[in-house]
Each structure stands twice: as C-alpha cells, then as structure tokens.
Amino acid sequence: MALKLVAPSGSPSVLIAGGRPYQVGRAVASDLAIQDPTVSRRHAELELTGAGVRVRDLGSTNGTWLNGQRVSDAVATPGSRVAFGKVDFEVREESAPTQTPGPAEGSLDATILRQVRVRGPADIAAQLSDDPLSSSVLRIAGASRGDRQERKLALLLDIAKELSQQPEVDRLLDRVVGLTFQVMNVDRVAILMPDPGSPGPGGDLAPRVWRSRVGSPENGQAPSWRVPRSIVRKAVEDRVAVLIENAAADERFEGTSVPTALRSALCAPMLGKQGTVLGLIYLDNVGATHSFGEEDLEFLSAFSGMAAVAIENSQLIERVRREAVVLSNFQRYFGPDLARQIAGQEGAVQLGGAKRRVVILFSDIRGFTSLSEPMNPDEIATLLTDYFTEMVEIVFEHGGTLDKFIGDALMALWGAPLARWDDADRAMRAAVAMQQRLARLNQEWEIRGRLPLAVGIGLDAGEVFAGNIGSERRLEYTVIGDAVNTAARLCAEAGPGEILVAGGLVTALAEPPPVTALDPLPLKGKAQPVPVFRVDWRQAPDAESTGSRREGPATQV
C-alpha cells in the first residue's frame, strides 16, 4: 500500500511511495507544488514509513499542521488532516503502482524518476508577502537566504512573463512602473527614455512615465519632482546600477545639483543588445535614509535587464507592424519582390520626390464607352476587374510600378522609385506582353459569350519629377514631366491593338522588338514632330515568358 495526500477539491495531490523524500512548497520543482502565499518556497518534506507519512517542516513561515496542531516532525496516518500554511490535505490509502513486464499500449517505455510541475501564467501577487524583511524594500519573505533567493528568481521569471505580454512600448513602460510599485515598497518611480529632440546620439534622457505614492497624482503632467541629472549621468556613462544614500553628502556628486530632500534612491540603465542605453529606471524614498540595500540593487539590476529585453522586443514588434503596413501599401503599386525590396531599403524612397529618368506606359481600351452601354454596372465592374487584374500582373512581372487607373486606362512606369539598368527593355516587353495576353483572353472570353477588347498603348522615356503629390489629407506617388504627356498622346493616337513608341525610347532599347517607322507625329506643345515607331508585337518573341529573365538588382538613382 502507498499513501496519498489529497486536497479537499481533489487537486493538487501527491502519491507518497517508498524510496525517497517528497518536497512540498511553492517552488516549481516541488513534488507537491502549492501556489498559495501562505506556503513557503520549500515548506515541508514527506516520506513514507511503516507507520504512515512522516511530515517534517523545513522552517516555513506559516507552519505545518497535523490535525490542527503545529508540528515540526510528526507521522500522519490514513485519515489524518495535514495543512501547509492555510492549505489543507487529507491522508488516504492508495494502491501502490506495480511494474509490468513490458509497456502497455499508450504508456511510457521508461521509468519516471521525477516529475516537475510546469508553471502556468504569471501570478506575481502569489509571490509577494505582506510581511517582508525589514532590511529590504522587496515584498518577499523567506526563512533562509536560499529560500529568499529562490523566491526572487521565481518572481523575476513571472515578471519576465508579464512583460512579454506587452507588445506596445508605451503600455510596457507603464507596466514596468506598475510592477515596480507592486513588488517594492518605494515612494516614487520614473522611467527615463531618450529624447529625440535632444542633440547627441539618442538624445538626452527625459521622463517618459512617472508615478508617486506621495503627494497628489500628476495625471500625465510633468512631475513636480525631478530625477537628479548627476545620478542619471553616473548610471548612463558608467553603465552601472547605482544605490544612493544621502545623495547631497555623497562625494561622487560633489559640485552637482542634488535635491537636499533626497535621501535614498536606486537607478539602473536598461541596456540593449549592443550596449546602447534604451532608458533608465529610477526610484527613491522621500526623507528616509538607508531604505535600500544591496539586495534591492541586485534585484533592480536584473529587473532593468528584463525590461530592456521587453523594450527591444516591443520595438521590434512595432517596427515589423509598420513595415507590414508599408509593404501592404507598396504592394498596391509594385510587384511583391520589388515591394519587399523598397520596404527593406530605409531611406531609398524619399517622400519629397526627385528628378529621375523613367519609362512611362499608357494603355487604353478602344471603344469602351459604346461597348459598355448595353451592360449593367456589375457586368462593367467584372469586365474591368478581370482585364486590369491581368494587365497589372504583367506590369509587376516586368518590374514596373502601377501609377494609377484612369477610367478604363492604365498608367505604369519603370525607373521610379527604384531604377534598373534595363528599365526600357522591361517596359517594352510589358507592352508586348499586354497585347499578347489580351489576344489570349479574347479567345477565352469569346467562348464565354463576352465581347472582345482592344487596347492602344503608348510609351516614352525621359526625365521627370517623381514623388508624392497631393494634399496633407491624401498623397499619391506619381510622375510629372514632358515624357508623361508624350506617352499619353501616343496612347491616344494608337489604334486598336497598336503599340506606339517615341523614337528616343527605341534607341535606348538593348533588345528592340520588330518595329516600323511611321511619319513623325506633331503633338501639341512640341515645336517639332516626334519620331514614332509602331511595334510589330505579333512578330515579337513571347514576352509573357521573359518578364524577369534578365533580373538585376534595383538601385536608387
């Protein structure tokens, strides 16, 4: 037979078999782990004897009890009531486990030497004591130095769990201040963070979050008390946690301005992975001397390290979220690969704009007004969606940027915001691919009873202004310049199924398709007629299969 300790609710419980002692306490490694503030970290020890369960108290704060009597070493028989602190258990008889020749299906093919309860969510309140040691401001108790060290470790682990749940930096800093007040008996706490408006790398540290137990609440206003700059400078410059007693008389701060009312203070820098100062935690007690000890300094140093890790993680999460938003916006105008490249190049895209040499493409459906007259709005929207989906995909496949839709027309460009050496050839292959794919689409649509479409396309290259244009309420990335006007006018002149290209673009092509020279075209605003070529796209190679065949790195120009 074996004996079992069972709580009135049935959980927790522990089966006491022979061969070794069993640990009881709040420690996660205990055989009987009890998460109750009246139970010590290492509370008691249990061992099976011939007379019953030997119960030995390990110097617990709230005692071990047998049938209502406090005991230090006693034997509990079946039916007895055993209490650890204020948590009761009943001793019951239990059939001892027997070993079988081999493992049964679904059982472990091993001998369990020890089981350790895995800690669940953080429960900081359960780690704290209402009767802490008078030599420290930490709200934890302990019968011995080892027990207290174990409690501090468990508390720091729960703090790390709690801080990891805060994805936003502002909420995280507020939680750091709240936890400091929760676990330490202090009067004032402040978190200082770099001030972006201050000169120097990272700027000076300025109060970001502060709170005080004494005086009236500040409600987000600047604190009526200030953190001594000399103490902050000492902690930041030397990268050390600092314990201050009677700071006004401390020779380390001689010649500096320290409030005469300041007696005891602690501060610790929050250091990032590269040793950079992410901020600083400062706390003090007003008018009280010798209220902090070495243990408090060590704890704050560890706490600030955990806060620093949590801050970096929160900043990373915020940066990833921002990049995701930027990438989502870019993917409306650029292909996925180009969008990721732009989003990953900090500063590559300037909001103010710049002059760039680009290639502009306009495409327009011919006769769409008459074509759409007998169609209802849903049919028109479906037709344009199907058509634009295919055309935009071609632009992206060839590394272009979707500038805008203009009714049933489309404007795309190459060379902005990032440029490639073969932008002219990419734009030309995209134009050819548009006509080739539309020819295939018309064959499919004819089978479905849909009328065919025909488009005219115009292209030109030149120097333009490229940037964000609009108002403070809405900005749009676009290009403005003579080449844009020329490409639009060539598109307007192009007949159904035609691609018209300005002569300057043809000469810039490394791999020109078959072209036919047309009579120079007089255009409004041009002193001289513009040389124009018609692309014989039906004799050109299949451009749909060569969209990225000569992929090269994009560069800012």
Side-chain angles (χ1 to χ4, degrees), residues 404-419:
K404 62 174 66 71
F405 298 115
I406 312 167
D408 60 324
L410 174 151
M411 176 181 172
L413 55 99
W414 283 255
L418 299 180

Side-chain angles (χ1 to χ4, degrees), residues 457-538:
I457 298 176
L459 297 96
D460 192 17
E463 189 176 77
V464 301
F465 169 84
N468 288 282
I469 304 298
S471 69
E472 293 182 355
R473 295 177 63 87
R474 185 177 185 274
L475 290 175
E476 182 179 82
Y477 189 86
T478 189
V479 292
I480 299 174
D482 184 65
V484 180
N485 300 330
T486 301
R489 289 164 185 165
L490 290 176
C491 177
E493 292 291 334
E498 277 193 334
I499 302 174
L500 298 186
V501 186
L505 176 58
V506 173
T507 59
L509 295 172
E511 299 178 354
V515 296
T516 299
L518 303 179
D519 293 334
L521 185 66
L523 296 176
K524 183 178 179 181
K526 293 285 189 180
Q528 299 294 330
V530 175
V532 178
F533 292 82
R534 181 177 60 231
V535 178
D536 300 324
W537 58 269
R538 292 179 179 83

Side-chain angles (χ1 to χ4, degrees), residues 366-545:
R366 294 293 176 251
F368 185 75
T369 301
S370 59
L371 177 70
S372 60
E373 282 181 355
M375 303 172 65
N376 63 48
D378 288 342
E379 291 174 331
I380 296 173
T382 301
L383 175 62
L384 288 177
T385 299
D386 292 345
Y387 164 73
F388 280 133
T389 297
E390 298 290 338
M391 298 301 106
V392 170
E393 188 64 29
I394 290 173
V395 172
F396 289 168
E397 286 173 357
H398 291 77
T401 298
L402 174 65
D403 187 288
K404 62 174 66 71
F405 298 115
I406 312 167
D408 60 324
L410 174 151
M411 176 181 172
L413 55 99
W414 283 255
L418 299 180
R420 291 185 171 90
W421 66 272
D422 60 343
D423 281 325
D425 289 273
R426 289 171 177 269
M428 180 57 69
R429 288 197 293 269
V432 172
M434 285 179 174
Q435 294 288 14
Q436 291 175 343
R437 187 171 297 186
L438 183 58
R440 296 187 179 97
L441 286 173
N442 282 331
Q443 293 176 357
E444 297 175 7
W445 291 344
E446 185 177 4
I447 297 174
R448 293 156 52 185
R450 181 183 288 180
L451 294 175
L453 298 180
V455 300
I457 298 176
L459 297 96
D460 192 17
E463 189 176 77
V464 301
F465 169 84
N468 288 282
I469 304 298
S471 69
E472 293 182 355
R473 295 177 63 87
R474 185 177 185 274
L475 290 175
E476 182 179 82
Y477 189 86
T478 189
V479 292
I480 299 174
D482 184 65
V484 180
N485 300 330
T486 301
R489 289 164 185 165
L490 290 176
C491 177
E493 292 291 334
E498 277 193 334
I499 302 174
L500 298 186
V501 186
L505 176 58
V506 173
T507 59
L509 295 172
E511 299 178 354
V515 296
T516 299
L518 303 179
D519 293 334
L521 185 66
L523 296 176
K524 183 178 179 181
K526 293 285 189 180
Q528 299 294 330
V530 175
V532 178
F533 292 82
R534 181 177 60 231
V535 178
D536 300 324
W537 58 269
R538 292 179 179 83
Q539 282 73 49
D542 188 350
E544 291 195 60
S545 62

Side-chain angles (χ1 to χ4, degrees), residues 70-83:
R70 186 164 185 167
V71 297
S72 59
D73 194 341
V75 175
T77 57
S80 299
R81 310 290 297 185
V82 179

Side-chain angles (χ1 to χ4, degrees), residues 193-467:
M193 300 290 285
D195 181 3
S198 300
D204 292 335
L205 296 182
R208 179 84 165 264
V209 183
W210 52 86
R211 198 174 301 166
S212 175
R213 292 190 200 271
V214 297
S216 58
E218 280 129 8
N219 297 324
Q221 302 296 322
S224 57
W225 51 279
R226 63 185 179 86
V227 178
R229 306 305 299 174
S230 54
I231 296 175
V232 172
R233 191 178 305 112
K234 174 69 176 177
V236 170
E237 291 179 355
D238 295 348
R239 303 295 200 270
V240 293
V242 181
L243 167 61
I244 304 101
E245 288 291 347
N246 194 16
D250 195 320
E251 62 181 11
R252 291 176 298 177
F253 309 114
E254 185 176 355
T256 62
S257 176
V258 176
T260 57
L262 177 60
R263 292 294 179 261
S264 297
L266 285 177
C267 71
M270 297 180 289
L271 303 180
K273 291 184 297 185
Q274 306 302 324
T276 56
V277 177
L278 303 176
L280 180 137
I281 303 177
Y282 171 89
L283 47 94
D284 65 21
N285 280 328
V286 180
T289 59
H290 304 289
S291 57
F292 299 119
E294 290 293 333
E295 183 181 33
D296 304 320
L297 182 65
E298 293 175 359
F299 184 87
L300 183 63
S301 179
F303 183 29
S304 67
M306 291 181 173
V309 172
I311 288 173
E312 286 194 315
N313 288 340
S314 296
Q315 291 174 339
L316 176 61
I317 291 172
E318 289 184 356
R319 184 164 64 251
V320 169
R321 285 177 175 172
R322 286 196 302 269
E323 290 179 357
V325 172
V326 171
L327 182 60
S328 176
N329 289 333
F330 278 148
Q331 285 178 337
R332 297 169 56 196
Y333 304 101
F334 314 113
D337 293 339
L338 183 58
R340 282 191 292 269
Q341 185 174 355
I342 295 172
Q345 293 187 20
E346 185 175 354
V349 181
Q350 299 178 359
L351 294 180
K355 286 188 175 182
R356 297 179 182 273
R357 181 170 181 79
V358 301
V359 182
I360 300 99
L361 178 151
F362 280 90
S363 72
D364 189 20
I365 300 176
R366 294 293 176 251
F368 185 75
T369 301
S370 59
L371 177 70
S372 60
E373 282 181 355
M375 303 172 65
N376 63 48
D378 288 342
E379 291 174 331
I380 296 173
T382 301
L383 175 62
L384 288 177
T385 299
D386 292 345
Y387 164 73
F388 280 133
T389 297
E390 298 290 338
M391 298 301 106
V392 170
E393 188 64 29
I394 290 173
V395 172
F396 289 168
E397 286 173 357
H398 291 77
T401 298
L402 174 65
D403 187 288
K404 62 174 66 71
F405 298 115
I406 312 167
D408 60 324
L410 174 151
M411 176 181 172
L413 55 99
W414 283 255
L418 299 180
R420 291 185 171 90
W421 66 272
D422 60 343
D423 281 325
D425 289 273
R426 289 171 177 269
M428 180 57 69
R429 288 197 293 269
V432 172
M434 285 179 174
Q435 294 288 14
Q436 291 175 343
R437 187 171 297 186
L438 183 58
R440 296 187 179 97
L441 286 173
N442 282 331
Q443 293 176 357
E444 297 175 7
W445 291 344
E446 185 177 4
I447 297 174
R448 293 156 52 185
R450 181 183 288 180
L451 294 175
L453 298 180
V455 300
I457 298 176
L459 297 96
D460 192 17
E463 189 176 77
V464 301
F465 169 84

